[in-house]
Amino acid sequence: MPRAGRSTNPFAKLAPKPKIVDLLKLITPSQKATFRNVSRSLKRMPGVHATLNYYGKEWGWALRYQRGDATLCTLHFLPSKFDATITVTTKLEDWARGPNHLSPATKRSLHSLRQRLHTKMIRMPLGSPLKAKDLVNMVRFKVQCRNGFARRRPAHAERIAGARSSGSSS
């Protein structure tokens, strides 16, 4: 049983699957306004859609934004806590450190990225409109990058397969 004063995630279990409206009950009114703005901006991008996914007992259910099979970002709803996780590619990292429209705080946090299984991820609390704007700008860059972020993987796989077959025939 949780201790008094400790907030617990009522959606930490796999079943039943909550609705987005249920997740929104966990965050504050100002965070809900931020969510509406972020969600509206992301859904306006071509080919972007959102799905609810389960991320284990610690995170529970979260809203994953994708384009094709590629995950662009994930929004996490915990009691009084609204965060986003975004995978940072080398191109995104280079763009984010250059002269663009990201806040200095976001640029600083890019220097302390944690790497997990060859993947760099940044977790951003979305408590301010500025952080939400930074998230939308980074996702927009990912969508615009080569006009097909989701299509980069198959081309990469074909190059690897081509290199292996040409290497074995020599």
Short mmCIF file of all heavy atoms in Angstrom, two decimals, residues 73-140:
data_model
loop_
_atom_site.label_atom_id
_atom_site.label_comp_id
_atom_site.label_asym_id
_atom_site.label_seq_id
_atom_site.Cartn_x
_atom_site.Cartn_y
_atom_site.Cartn_z
N CYS A 73 8.18 10.86 -30.94
CA CYS A 73 8.32 11.20 -29.52
C CYS A 73 7.24 10.46 -28.75
O CYS A 73 6.31 9.91 -29.33
CB CYS A 73 8.20 12.71 -29.29
SG CYS A 73 6.55 13.38 -29.54
N THR A 74 7.38 10.45 -27.44
CA THR A 74 6.40 9.82 -26.56
C THR A 74 6.06 10.80 -25.44
O THR A 74 6.97 11.39 -24.85
CB THR A 74 6.96 8.51 -25.96
OG1 THR A 74 7.36 7.66 -27.03
CG2 THR A 74 5.94 7.81 -25.11
N LEU A 75 4.77 10.96 -25.17
CA LEU A 75 4.31 11.82 -24.08
C LEU A 75 3.90 10.94 -22.91
O LEU A 75 3.08 10.03 -23.07
CB LEU A 75 3.14 12.69 -24.54
CG LEU A 75 3.39 13.59 -25.75
CD1 LEU A 75 2.15 14.43 -26.05
CD2 LEU A 75 4.60 14.48 -25.54
N HIS A 76 4.46 11.22 -21.74
CA HIS A 76 4.20 10.44 -20.52
C HIS A 76 3.34 11.25 -19.56
O HIS A 76 3.65 12.40 -19.26
CB HIS A 76 5.52 10.09 -19.83
CG HIS A 76 6.48 9.36 -20.70
ND1 HIS A 76 6.42 8.00 -20.90
CD2 HIS A 76 7.51 9.80 -21.46
CE1 HIS A 76 7.38 7.63 -21.71
NE2 HIS A 76 8.06 8.71 -22.07
N PHE A 77 2.28 10.62 -19.07
CA PHE A 77 1.36 11.26 -18.13
C PHE A 77 1.46 10.54 -16.80
O PHE A 77 1.08 9.38 -16.68
CB PHE A 77 -0.08 11.14 -18.63
CG PHE A 77 -0.30 11.72 -19.99
CD1 PHE A 77 -0.06 10.97 -21.13
CD2 PHE A 77 -0.76 13.01 -20.14
CE1 PHE A 77 -0.27 11.49 -22.39
CE2 PHE A 77 -0.98 13.55 -21.40
CZ PHE A 77 -0.73 12.79 -22.53
N LEU A 78 2.00 11.21 -15.80
CA LEU A 78 2.08 10.68 -14.45
C LEU A 78 1.39 11.69 -13.52
O LEU A 78 1.19 12.83 -13.92
CB LEU A 78 3.54 10.47 -14.05
CG LEU A 78 4.31 9.45 -14.89
CD1 LEU A 78 5.78 9.47 -14.55
CD2 LEU A 78 3.75 8.05 -14.69
N PRO A 79 1.03 11.30 -12.32
CA PRO A 79 0.34 12.26 -11.45
C PRO A 79 1.13 13.56 -11.30
O PRO A 79 2.27 13.56 -10.82
CB PRO A 79 0.22 11.51 -10.13
CG PRO A 79 0.18 10.06 -10.54
CD PRO A 79 1.13 9.98 -11.71
N SER A 80 0.54 14.65 -11.75
CA SER A 80 1.12 16.00 -11.70
C SER A 80 2.46 16.11 -12.44
O SER A 80 3.26 16.99 -12.15
CB SER A 80 1.29 16.48 -10.26
OG SER A 80 0.03 16.51 -9.64
N LYS A 81 2.71 15.22 -13.38
CA LYS A 81 3.97 15.23 -14.12
C LYS A 81 3.68 14.92 -15.58
O LYS A 81 3.02 13.93 -15.89
CB LYS A 81 4.90 14.18 -13.53
CG LYS A 81 6.31 14.26 -14.03
CD LYS A 81 7.18 13.28 -13.27
CE LYS A 81 8.60 13.39 -13.74
NZ LYS A 81 9.47 12.44 -13.07
N PHE A 82 4.17 15.78 -16.46
CA PHE A 82 3.94 15.63 -17.90
C PHE A 82 5.28 15.77 -18.59
O PHE A 82 5.88 16.84 -18.61
CB PHE A 82 2.94 16.70 -18.36
CG PHE A 82 2.63 16.69 -19.81
CD1 PHE A 82 2.38 15.51 -20.50
CD2 PHE A 82 2.54 17.88 -20.51
CE1 PHE A 82 2.08 15.51 -21.85
CE2 PHE A 82 2.24 17.90 -21.86
CZ PHE A 82 2.00 16.72 -22.53
N ASP A 83 5.80 14.66 -19.14
CA ASP A 83 7.12 14.60 -19.76
C ASP A 83 7.02 14.08 -21.19
O ASP A 83 6.04 13.42 -21.54
CB ASP A 83 8.05 13.65 -19.00
CG ASP A 83 8.45 14.14 -17.64
OD1 ASP A 83 8.21 15.31 -17.33
OD2 ASP A 83 9.00 13.33 -16.87
N ALA A 84 8.06 14.36 -21.94
CA ALA A 84 8.19 13.79 -23.29
C ALA A 84 9.56 13.14 -23.40
O ALA A 84 10.53 13.57 -22.78
CB ALA A 84 8.06 14.89 -24.34
N THR A 85 9.62 12.09 -24.20
CA THR A 85 10.88 11.43 -24.52
C THR A 85 11.02 11.47 -26.03
O THR A 85 10.07 11.18 -26.76
CB THR A 85 10.87 9.96 -24.05
OG1 THR A 85 10.58 9.93 -22.66
CG2 THR A 85 12.21 9.31 -24.29
N ILE A 86 12.21 11.84 -26.48
CA ILE A 86 12.46 11.91 -27.92
C ILE A 86 13.82 11.28 -28.19
O ILE A 86 14.79 11.51 -27.45
CB ILE A 86 12.38 13.36 -28.45
CG1 ILE A 86 12.54 13.41 -29.97
CG2 ILE A 86 13.36 14.27 -27.77
CD1 ILE A 86 12.17 14.75 -30.58
N THR A 87 13.88 10.45 -29.22
CA THR A 87 15.14 9.85 -29.65
C THR A 87 15.90 10.89 -30.45
O THR A 87 15.35 11.52 -31.34
CB THR A 87 14.88 8.60 -30.50
OG1 THR A 87 14.11 7.68 -29.74
CG2 THR A 87 16.19 7.94 -30.92
N VAL A 88 17.17 11.05 -30.11
CA VAL A 88 17.99 12.08 -30.75
C VAL A 88 18.96 11.41 -31.71
O VAL A 88 19.87 10.70 -31.30
CB VAL A 88 18.75 12.91 -29.69
CG1 VAL A 88 19.59 13.98 -30.37
CG2 VAL A 88 17.77 13.54 -28.71
N THR A 89 18.73 11.63 -33.00
CA THR A 89 19.63 11.13 -34.03
C THR A 89 20.82 12.08 -34.14
O THR A 89 20.80 13.19 -33.60
CB THR A 89 18.91 11.05 -35.38
OG1 THR A 89 18.50 12.37 -35.74
CG2 THR A 89 17.71 10.13 -35.33
N THR A 90 21.84 11.67 -34.85
CA THR A 90 23.01 12.52 -35.04
C THR A 90 22.62 13.80 -35.77
O THR A 90 23.06 14.90 -35.41
CB THR A 90 24.10 11.77 -35.84
OG1 THR A 90 24.41 10.57 -35.14
CG2 THR A 90 25.35 12.61 -35.99
N LYS A 91 21.77 13.67 -36.79
CA LYS A 91 21.33 14.86 -37.53
C LYS A 91 20.55 15.81 -36.64
O LYS A 91 20.74 17.02 -36.70
CB LYS A 91 20.47 14.45 -38.72
CG LYS A 91 21.24 13.89 -39.85
CD LYS A 91 20.34 13.65 -41.03
CE LYS A 91 21.15 13.11 -42.19
NZ LYS A 91 20.37 13.06 -43.42
N LEU A 92 19.67 15.26 -35.80
CA LEU A 92 18.89 16.11 -34.90
C LEU A 92 19.80 16.78 -33.89
O LEU A 92 19.65 17.97 -33.59
CB LEU A 92 17.81 15.29 -34.19
CG LEU A 92 16.96 16.06 -33.17
CD1 LEU A 92 16.18 17.18 -33.84
CD2 LEU A 92 16.02 15.11 -32.45
N GLU A 93 20.78 16.05 -33.38
CA GLU A 93 21.72 16.61 -32.42
C GLU A 93 22.52 17.75 -33.04
O GLU A 93 22.68 18.81 -32.43
CB GLU A 93 22.64 15.51 -31.91
CG GLU A 93 23.43 15.88 -30.69
CD GLU A 93 24.18 14.68 -30.12
OE1 GLU A 93 24.12 13.58 -30.69
OE2 GLU A 93 24.83 14.88 -29.09
N ASP A 94 23.00 17.57 -34.25
CA ASP A 94 23.74 18.63 -34.95
C ASP A 94 22.86 19.84 -35.19
O ASP A 94 23.28 20.98 -34.96
CB ASP A 94 24.30 18.12 -36.27
CG ASP A 94 25.39 17.07 -36.09
OD1 ASP A 94 25.94 16.98 -34.97
OD2 ASP A 94 25.67 16.34 -37.06
N TRP A 95 21.63 19.61 -35.65
CA TRP A 95 20.70 20.70 -35.91
C TRP A 95 20.37 21.45 -34.61
O TRP A 95 20.33 22.67 -34.58
CB TRP A 95 19.42 20.16 -36.54
CG TRP A 95 18.33 21.17 -36.67
CD1 TRP A 95 18.18 22.07 -37.67
CD2 TRP A 95 17.25 21.38 -35.77
NE1 TRP A 95 17.07 22.84 -37.45
CE2 TRP A 95 16.48 22.43 -36.29
CE3 TRP A 95 16.85 20.78 -34.57
CZ2 TRP A 95 15.33 22.90 -35.65
CZ3 TRP A 95 15.72 21.23 -33.94
CH2 TRP A 95 14.97 22.29 -34.47
N ALA A 96 20.15 20.70 -33.54
CA ALA A 96 19.75 21.30 -32.27
C ALA A 96 20.85 22.16 -31.66
O ALA A 96 20.57 23.14 -30.97
CB ALA A 96 19.35 20.21 -31.28
N ARG A 97 22.09 21.81 -31.91
CA ARG A 97 23.20 22.59 -31.36
C ARG A 97 23.52 23.80 -32.22
O ARG A 97 24.24 24.69 -31.78
CB ARG A 97 24.42 21.71 -31.21
CG ARG A 97 24.25 20.71 -30.10
CD ARG A 97 25.50 19.91 -29.86
NE ARG A 97 25.31 19.07 -28.70
CZ ARG A 97 25.87 17.88 -28.55
NH1 ARG A 97 26.65 17.40 -29.49
NH2 ARG A 97 25.65 17.17 -27.47
N GLY A 98 23.04 23.83 -33.44
CA GLY A 98 23.31 24.95 -34.34
C GLY A 98 22.38 26.12 -34.06
O GLY A 98 21.61 26.13 -33.10
N PRO A 99 22.46 27.15 -34.92
CA PRO A 99 21.60 28.34 -34.74
C PRO A 99 20.18 28.02 -35.19
O PRO A 99 19.87 28.01 -36.36
CB PRO A 99 22.26 29.38 -35.64
CG PRO A 99 22.95 28.58 -36.69
CD PRO A 99 23.37 27.29 -36.05
N ASN A 100 19.32 27.72 -34.23
CA ASN A 100 17.93 27.40 -34.54
C ASN A 100 17.03 27.99 -33.46
O ASN A 100 17.45 28.85 -32.71
CB ASN A 100 17.75 25.88 -34.66
CG ASN A 100 18.28 25.18 -33.42
OD1 ASN A 100 17.97 25.57 -32.31
ND2 ASN A 100 19.11 24.17 -33.61
N HIS A 101 15.85 27.47 -33.35
CA HIS A 101 14.87 28.06 -32.44
C HIS A 101 14.65 27.23 -31.18
O HIS A 101 13.55 27.18 -30.67
CB HIS A 101 13.54 28.26 -33.18
CG HIS A 101 13.68 29.13 -34.37
ND1 HIS A 101 13.88 30.48 -34.28
CD2 HIS A 101 13.70 28.84 -35.69
CE1 HIS A 101 13.99 31.01 -35.47
NE2 HIS A 101 13.89 30.03 -36.36
N LEU A 102 15.69 26.60 -30.66
CA LEU A 102 15.57 25.88 -29.40
C LEU A 102 16.06 26.75 -28.26
O LEU A 102 16.97 27.56 -28.42
CB LEU A 102 16.39 24.59 -29.44
CG LEU A 102 15.94 23.51 -30.41
CD1 LEU A 102 16.82 22.29 -30.27
CD2 LEU A 102 14.50 23.14 -30.20
N SER A 103 15.48 26.54 -27.09
CA SER A 103 15.88 27.33 -25.93
C SER A 103 17.27 26.91 -25.46
O SER A 103 17.70 25.77 -25.68
CB SER A 103 14.87 27.13 -24.81
OG SER A 103 14.95 25.81 -24.30
N PRO A 104 17.98 27.82 -24.79
CA PRO A 104 19.31 27.46 -24.24
C PRO A 104 19.25 26.28 -23.28
O PRO A 104 20.16 25.45 -23.25
CB PRO A 104 19.76 28.74 -23.53
CG PRO A 104 19.01 29.83 -24.22
CD PRO A 104 17.69 29.23 -24.62
N ALA A 105 18.16 26.17 -22.51
CA ALA A 105 18.04 25.07 -21.54
C ALA A 105 17.98 23.72 -22.28
O ALA A 105 18.60 22.74 -21.85
CB ALA A 105 16.81 25.26 -20.68
N THR A 106 17.24 23.66 -23.38
CA THR A 106 17.16 22.43 -24.15
C THR A 106 18.50 22.10 -24.79
O THR A 106 18.93 20.95 -24.80
CB THR A 106 16.05 22.52 -25.21
OG1 THR A 106 14.81 22.75 -24.55
CG2 THR A 106 15.96 21.26 -26.04
N LYS A 107 19.17 23.11 -25.30
CA LYS A 107 20.50 22.87 -25.88
C LYS A 107 21.47 22.34 -24.83
O LYS A 107 22.26 21.43 -25.11
CB LYS A 107 21.04 24.16 -26.49
CG LYS A 107 20.34 24.55 -27.78
CD LYS A 107 20.97 25.77 -28.38
CE LYS A 107 20.29 26.13 -29.67
NZ LYS A 107 20.98 27.15 -30.43
N ARG A 108 21.41 22.87 -23.61
CA ARG A 108 22.28 22.38 -22.54
C ARG A 108 21.96 20.93 -22.21
O ARG A 108 22.86 20.12 -21.98
CB ARG A 108 22.13 23.24 -21.30
CG ARG A 108 22.93 24.52 -21.33
CD ARG A 108 22.98 25.18 -19.96
NE ARG A 108 21.67 25.49 -19.43
CZ ARG A 108 20.97 26.61 -19.68
NH1 ARG A 108 21.48 27.53 -20.47
NH2 ARG A 108 19.79 26.80 -19.16
N SER A 109 20.68 20.58 -22.19
CA SER A 109 20.32 19.21 -21.84
C SER A 109 20.76 18.22 -22.92
O SER A 109 20.95 17.04 -22.63
CB SER A 109 18.82 19.09 -21.57
OG SER A 109 18.08 19.38 -22.71
N LEU A 110 20.94 18.69 -24.14
CA LEU A 110 21.45 17.81 -25.19
C LEU A 110 22.89 17.38 -24.93
O LEU A 110 23.33 16.35 -25.40
CB LEU A 110 21.34 18.49 -26.56
CG LEU A 110 19.94 18.56 -27.13
CD1 LEU A 110 19.89 19.47 -28.35
CD2 LEU A 110 19.43 17.18 -27.49
N HIS A 111 23.62 18.19 -24.17
CA HIS A 111 25.01 17.83 -23.85
C HIS A 111 25.08 16.68 -22.84
O HIS A 111 26.09 16.00 -22.74
CB HIS A 111 25.76 19.04 -23.29
CG HIS A 111 26.05 20.06 -24.34
ND1 HIS A 111 26.96 19.87 -25.35
CD2 HIS A 111 25.52 21.29 -24.54
CE1 HIS A 111 26.99 20.92 -26.13
NE2 HIS A 111 26.13 21.81 -25.67
N SER A 112 24.00 16.47 -22.10
CA SER A 112 24.01 15.42 -21.08
C SER A 112 23.05 14.29 -21.44
O SER A 112 22.34 13.78 -20.60
CB SER A 112 23.64 16.01 -19.72
OG SER A 112 22.35 16.58 -19.78
N LEU A 113 23.05 13.91 -22.70
CA LEU A 113 22.18 12.83 -23.14
C LEU A 113 22.65 11.51 -22.58
O LEU A 113 23.84 11.25 -22.50
CB LEU A 113 22.18 12.73 -24.67
CG LEU A 113 21.51 13.86 -25.43
CD1 LEU A 113 21.68 13.63 -26.93
CD2 LEU A 113 20.06 13.95 -25.08
N ARG A 114 21.70 10.67 -22.25
CA ARG A 114 22.06 9.32 -21.83
C ARG A 114 21.87 8.39 -23.02
O ARG A 114 20.93 8.51 -23.78
CB ARG A 114 21.23 8.86 -20.64
CG ARG A 114 19.76 8.81 -20.90
CD ARG A 114 19.02 8.48 -19.64
NE ARG A 114 17.62 8.32 -19.99
CZ ARG A 114 16.83 7.43 -19.47
NH1 ARG A 114 17.26 6.63 -18.54
NH2 ARG A 114 15.58 7.33 -19.85
N GLN A 115 22.80 7.50 -23.18
CA GLN A 115 22.75 6.57 -24.30
C GLN A 115 22.26 5.23 -23.82
O GLN A 115 22.72 4.73 -22.79
CB GLN A 115 24.14 6.43 -24.93
CG GLN A 115 24.09 5.71 -26.24
CD GLN A 115 25.34 5.96 -27.06
OE1 GLN A 115 26.09 6.87 -26.76
NE2 GLN A 115 25.55 5.16 -28.07
N ARG A 116 21.30 4.68 -24.53
CA ARG A 116 20.73 3.39 -24.16
C ARG A 116 20.72 2.50 -25.39
O ARG A 116 20.02 2.78 -26.35
CB ARG A 116 19.31 3.59 -23.64
CG ARG A 116 18.69 2.34 -23.14
CD ARG A 116 17.33 2.61 -22.56
NE ARG A 116 16.66 1.34 -22.44
CZ ARG A 116 15.40 1.13 -22.73
NH1 ARG A 116 14.66 2.12 -23.11
NH2 ARG A 116 14.89 -0.06 -22.60
N LEU A 117 21.53 1.46 -25.38
CA LEU A 117 21.62 0.52 -26.49
C LEU A 117 21.82 1.24 -27.82
O LEU A 117 21.03 1.13 -28.74
CB LEU A 117 20.35 -0.34 -26.55
CG LEU A 117 20.06 -1.19 -25.32
CD1 LEU A 117 18.73 -1.89 -25.47
CD2 LEU A 117 21.16 -2.20 -25.09
N HIS A 118 22.87 2.02 -27.90
CA HIS A 118 23.25 2.75 -29.11
C HIS A 118 22.25 3.82 -29.52
O HIS A 118 22.24 4.26 -30.65
CB HIS A 118 23.48 1.79 -30.29
CG HIS A 118 24.40 0.67 -29.97
ND1 HIS A 118 25.74 0.87 -29.74
CD2 HIS A 118 24.19 -0.65 -29.79
CE1 HIS A 118 26.31 -0.28 -29.46
NE2 HIS A 118 25.39 -1.22 -29.48
N THR A 119 21.38 4.22 -28.61
CA THR A 119 20.37 5.23 -28.90
C THR A 119 20.47 6.35 -27.86
O THR A 119 20.56 6.08 -26.68
CB THR A 119 18.96 4.63 -28.84
OG1 THR A 119 18.90 3.54 -29.75
CG2 THR A 119 17.91 5.65 -29.19
N LYS A 120 20.46 7.58 -28.33
CA LYS A 120 20.45 8.72 -27.42
C LYS A 120 19.02 9.20 -27.30
O LYS A 120 18.31 9.36 -28.29
CB LYS A 120 21.33 9.85 -27.95
CG LYS A 120 22.80 9.53 -27.94
CD LYS A 120 23.60 10.72 -28.42
CE LYS A 120 25.08 10.42 -28.37
NZ LYS A 120 25.86 11.57 -28.84
N MET A 121 18.61 9.43 -26.05
CA MET A 121 17.25 9.89 -25.79
C MET A 121 17.30 11.08 -24.85
O MET A 121 18.14 11.13 -23.97
CB MET A 121 16.42 8.78 -25.19
CG MET A 121 16.32 7.57 -26.07
SD MET A 121 15.34 6.27 -25.34
CE MET A 121 13.73 6.90 -25.69
N ILE A 122 16.37 12.00 -25.05
CA ILE A 122 16.26 13.12 -24.14
C ILE A 122 14.85 13.08 -23.55
O ILE A 122 13.88 12.84 -24.25
CB ILE A 122 16.54 14.47 -24.84
CG1 ILE A 122 16.56 15.61 -23.84
CG2 ILE A 122 15.57 14.74 -25.96
CD1 ILE A 122 17.09 16.91 -24.41
N ARG A 123 14.80 13.27 -22.24
CA ARG A 123 13.52 13.32 -21.53
C ARG A 123 13.31 14.76 -21.12
O ARG A 123 14.14 15.36 -20.44
CB ARG A 123 13.58 12.41 -20.33
CG ARG A 123 12.26 12.30 -19.63
CD ARG A 123 12.34 11.19 -18.61
NE ARG A 123 11.49 11.52 -17.50
CZ ARG A 123 11.69 11.11 -16.28
NH1 ARG A 123 12.71 10.35 -16.00
NH2 ARG A 123 10.86 11.45 -15.33
N MET A 124 12.19 15.32 -21.55
CA MET A 124 11.91 16.74 -21.32
C MET A 124 10.64 16.91 -20.48
O MET A 124 9.58 16.48 -20.90
CB MET A 124 11.67 17.44 -22.66
CG MET A 124 12.79 17.35 -23.64
SD MET A 124 12.35 18.03 -25.25
CE MET A 124 11.97 19.71 -24.84
N PRO A 125 10.74 17.55 -19.33
CA PRO A 125 9.51 17.91 -18.63
C PRO A 125 8.82 19.02 -19.43
O PRO A 125 9.47 19.97 -19.86
CB PRO A 125 9.99 18.44 -17.28
CG PRO A 125 11.47 18.32 -17.26
CD PRO A 125 11.94 17.89 -18.61
N LEU A 126 7.54 18.87 -19.68
CA LEU A 126 6.81 19.85 -20.48
C LEU A 126 6.01 20.80 -19.59
O LEU A 126 4.83 21.01 -19.79
CB LEU A 126 5.90 19.13 -21.48
CG LEU A 126 6.62 18.26 -22.50
CD1 LEU A 126 5.64 17.53 -23.39
CD2 LEU A 126 7.58 19.10 -23.33
N GLY A 127 6.69 21.36 -18.60
CA GLY A 127 6.04 22.27 -17.67
C GLY A 127 5.89 23.68 -18.19
O GLY A 127 5.10 24.46 -17.67
N SER A 128 6.64 24.03 -19.22
CA SER A 128 6.56 25.39 -19.74
C SER A 128 6.24 25.37 -21.23
O SER A 128 6.61 24.42 -21.94
CB SER A 128 7.87 26.13 -19.51
OG SER A 128 8.86 25.64 -20.39
N PRO A 129 5.60 26.41 -21.72
CA PRO A 129 5.33 26.49 -23.17
C PRO A 129 6.61 26.47 -24.01
O PRO A 129 6.61 25.97 -25.13
CB PRO A 129 4.58 27.82 -23.33
CG PRO A 129 3.99 28.09 -21.99
CD PRO A 129 4.95 27.50 -20.99
N LEU A 130 7.70 27.01 -23.45
CA LEU A 130 8.97 27.03 -24.18
C LEU A 130 9.50 25.61 -24.43
O LEU A 130 9.97 25.28 -25.52
CB LEU A 130 10.00 27.87 -23.43
CG LEU A 130 11.30 28.18 -24.16
CD1 LEU A 130 11.02 28.90 -25.48
CD2 LEU A 130 12.18 29.06 -23.28
N LYS A 131 9.42 24.76 -23.41
CA LYS A 131 9.86 23.36 -23.58
C LYS A 131 8.97 22.63 -24.58
O LYS A 131 9.45 21.84 -25.40
CB LYS A 131 9.83 22.62 -22.23
CG LYS A 131 10.93 23.00 -21.30
CD LYS A 131 12.21 22.36 -21.74
CE LYS A 131 13.26 22.54 -20.67
NZ LYS A 131 14.50 21.88 -21.01
N ALA A 132 7.67 22.91 -24.53
CA ALA A 132 6.75 22.29 -25.47
C ALA A 132 7.06 22.73 -26.89
O ALA A 132 7.04 21.92 -27.83
CB ALA A 132 5.31 22.65 -25.10
N LYS A 133 7.39 24.00 -27.07
CA LYS A 133 7.76 24.52 -28.39
C LYS A 133 9.04 23.84 -28.89
O LYS A 133 9.15 23.50 -30.06
CB LYS A 133 7.94 26.03 -28.32
CG LYS A 133 8.26 26.68 -29.64
CD LYS A 133 8.42 28.17 -29.49
CE LYS A 133 8.84 28.80 -30.80
NZ LYS A 133 9.12 30.22 -30.67
N ASP A 134 10.00 23.65 -27.98
CA ASP A 134 11.25 22.96 -28.35
C ASP A 134 10.96 21.54 -28.83
O ASP A 134 11.52 21.09 -29.83
CB ASP A 134 12.21 22.92 -27.17
CG ASP A 134 12.87 24.26 -26.88
OD1 ASP A 134 12.75 25.18 -27.71
OD2 ASP A 134 13.49 24.38 -25.80
N LEU A 135 10.07 20.84 -28.12
CA LEU A 135 9.72 19.48 -28.51
C LEU A 135 9.10 19.48 -29.91
O LEU A 135 9.51 18.69 -30.77
CB LEU A 135 8.74 18.86 -27.51
CG LEU A 135 8.18 17.50 -27.93
CD1 LEU A 135 9.27 16.43 -27.88
CD2 LEU A 135 7.01 17.12 -27.07
N VAL A 136 8.16 20.36 -30.15
CA VAL A 136 7.50 20.42 -31.46
C VAL A 136 8.51 20.75 -32.55
O VAL A 136 8.49 20.15 -33.63
CB VAL A 136 6.33 21.43 -31.44
CG1 VAL A 136 5.80 21.69 -32.84
CG2 VAL A 136 5.22 20.94 -30.52
N ASN A 137 9.43 21.66 -32.28
CA ASN A 137 10.45 22.01 -33.28
C ASN A 137 11.36 20.83 -33.59
O ASN A 137 11.72 20.60 -34.75
CB ASN A 137 11.27 23.21 -32.82
CG ASN A 137 10.53 24.51 -32.96
OD1 ASN A 137 9.60 24.63 -33.75
ND2 ASN A 137 10.93 25.50 -32.19
N MET A 138 11.74 20.06 -32.57
CA MET A 138 12.59 18.89 -32.82
C MET A 138 11.84 17.82 -33.61
O MET A 138 12.39 17.21 -34.52
CB MET A 138 13.14 18.33 -31.51
CG MET A 138 14.22 19.22 -30.90
SD MET A 138 15.13 18.44 -29.55
CE MET A 138 13.92 18.44 -28.25
N VAL A 139 10.58 17.59 -33.27
CA VAL A 139 9.79 16.61 -34.01
C VAL A 139 9.59 17.08 -35.45
O VAL A 139 9.70 16.29 -36.39
CB VAL A 139 8.44 16.34 -33.31
CG1 VAL A 139 7.54 15.49 -34.20
CG2 VAL A 139 8.66 15.65 -31.97
N ARG A 140 9.32 18.37 -35.63
CA ARG A 140 9.16 18.91 -36.98
C ARG A 140 10.42 18.67 -37.81
O ARG A 140 10.35 18.28 -38.97
CB ARG A 140 8.83 20.39 -36.92
CG ARG A 140 8.53 21.00 -38.28
CD ARG A 140 8.06 22.44 -38.17
NE ARG A 140 6.72 22.47 -37.58
CZ ARG A 140 6.41 23.14 -36.47
NH1 ARG A 140 7.32 23.83 -35.83
NH2 ARG A 140 5.18 23.12 -36.02
#
